[in-house]
Amino acid sequence: MFCAFLMRPIWSNAAAMELELDIEHWPAGEWNTLTQRTAEAAAAAAPELASRRLHVSVLFTSDAEVHNLNREWRDRDKPTNVLSFPMLAREELLDLATDGPPAMLGDIALAYGVCAREAAEKNILIADHAAHLIIHGLLHLAGYDHVGSDAEAEAMEALEIAALAKLGLSDPYADRDL
């Protein structure tokens, strides 16, 4: 999706996925470290993400680029905060053997302007909001959904909350109306 072969691997170890980042139209920051720590937290909350065979590309880009991707791949003519493009079905992920060749789990794209606006509205750091969105995207790549049913949404949100807690970040859903 994002020409992962052009991106540089930023992190890999024997127990976790390999991440490849492309950072465009985002301010200077510790996005590599943030993505690494966030992926570790997501894998701790959702162990199916802890395979060293998995590869994920993460694109930090502009609202315009995410808008184009959203229009092209989801028929939605607007930018959004994060998009996920899974390349493995959930069943394939769950059946993935420990040993074997690399397996591309998928791509994630984050839109800077949308993320920055949402972080400002929530009165949180953009890095904290980006961490939440990366976790959200990784869970989508792992086959979790929040649209199908309330039970699915609650399960996905519980994993997001658990992963964020591992990063020392608060529940992003705590202020919603029940």
Side-chain angles (χ1 to χ4, degrees), residues 6-76:
L6 296 175
M7 295 184 239
R8 64 190 192 295
I10 61 139
W11 171 72
S12 179
N13 73 31
M17 72 186 83
E18 183 172 310
L19 302 167
E20 298 181 20
L21 264 64
D22 190 6
I23 304 169
E24 310 168 352
H25 310 292
W26 277 62
E30 295 296 323
W31 305 116
N32 292 344
T33 302
L34 173 83
T35 305
Q36 173 188 333
R37 290 183 58 243
T38 300
E40 290 171 347
E48 64 271 31
L49 291 171
S51 173
R52 64 180 175 80
R53 291 184 56 198
L54 295 176
H55 289 239
V56 174
S57 66
V58 182
L59 174 64
F60 289 80
T61 192
S62 66
D63 288 8
E65 179 65 21
V66 170
H67 185 162
N68 290 337
L69 291 168
N70 206 16
R71 183 177 48 239
E72 181 177 348
W73 295 98
R74 299 179 69 227
D75 291 323
R76 296 190 177 153

Side-chain angles (χ1 to χ4, degrees), residues 19 21 23 26-39 41-42 58-61 80-84 108-120 122-139 160 163-164 167 169-170 172-173:
L19 302 167
L21 264 64
I23 304 169
W26 277 62
E30 295 296 323
W31 305 116
N32 292 344
T33 302
L34 173 83
T35 305
Q36 173 188 333
R37 290 183 58 243
T38 300
V58 182
L59 174 64
F60 289 80
T61 192
T80 188
N81 52 16
V82 63
L83 290 172
S84 301
I108 298 170
L110 290 97
Y112 177 73
V114 175
C115 292
R117 282 188 300 279
E118 289 175 349
K122 296 173 183 273
N123 199 28
I124 62 173
L125 297 173
I126 189 168
D128 294 350
H129 191 48
H132 177 209
L133 296 175
I134 293 166
I135 290 167
H136 186 87
L138 287 169
L139 291 173
E160 290 176 37
L164 289 166
L167 296 171
L169 300 176
S170 61
Y173 304 108

